[in-house]
Amino acid sequence: MGLTTVKQVQFEKEFNLKEIRTEIKRRHDLTMKQFQPKSFDAYLKAMEANGVNVIPTINNQNKL
């Protein structure tokens, strides 16, 4: 019938998320190696040049 279990759906979501995070990490490493940003603003611009839009957020402990 084409039904899937909850565990299977969760596994697929986790697998896709892992791929996305790996790609972001790869682009981060590339940015740090190529541009060697000296400030957070420079890092944001360098990441944007590599195709990643960084959205700064503040967590519950008021840290960036």
Side-chain angles (χ1 to χ4, degrees):
M1 287 181 71
L3 297 176
T4 58
T5 64
V6 173
K7 280 189 174 184
Q8 185 178 7
V9 171
Q10 287 174 339
F11 177 78
E12 289 173 4
K13 281 185 179 181
E14 184 179 310
F15 183 76
N16 291 337
L17 187 62
K18 189 179 282 189
E19 286 181 358
I20 292 169
R21 287 181 182 209
T22 302
E23 180 63 21
I24 292 172
K25 173 74 167 103
R26 186 186 69 77
R27 290 184 185 208
H28 163 77
D29 292 339
L30 185 65
T31 297
M32 295 304 284
K33 187 176 183 181
Q34 280 183 342
F35 296 102
Q36 298 176 349
K38 303 293 181 199
S39 68
F40 187 66
D41 289 332
Y43 174 77
L44 293 177
K45 290 178 184 175
M47 285 293 282
E48 196 168 310
N50 274 334
V52 178
N53 184 20
V54 178
I55 303 171
T57 57
I58 298 176
N59 65 10
N60 291 338
Q61 290 126 7
N62 290 327
K63 293 185 180 181
L64 184 62

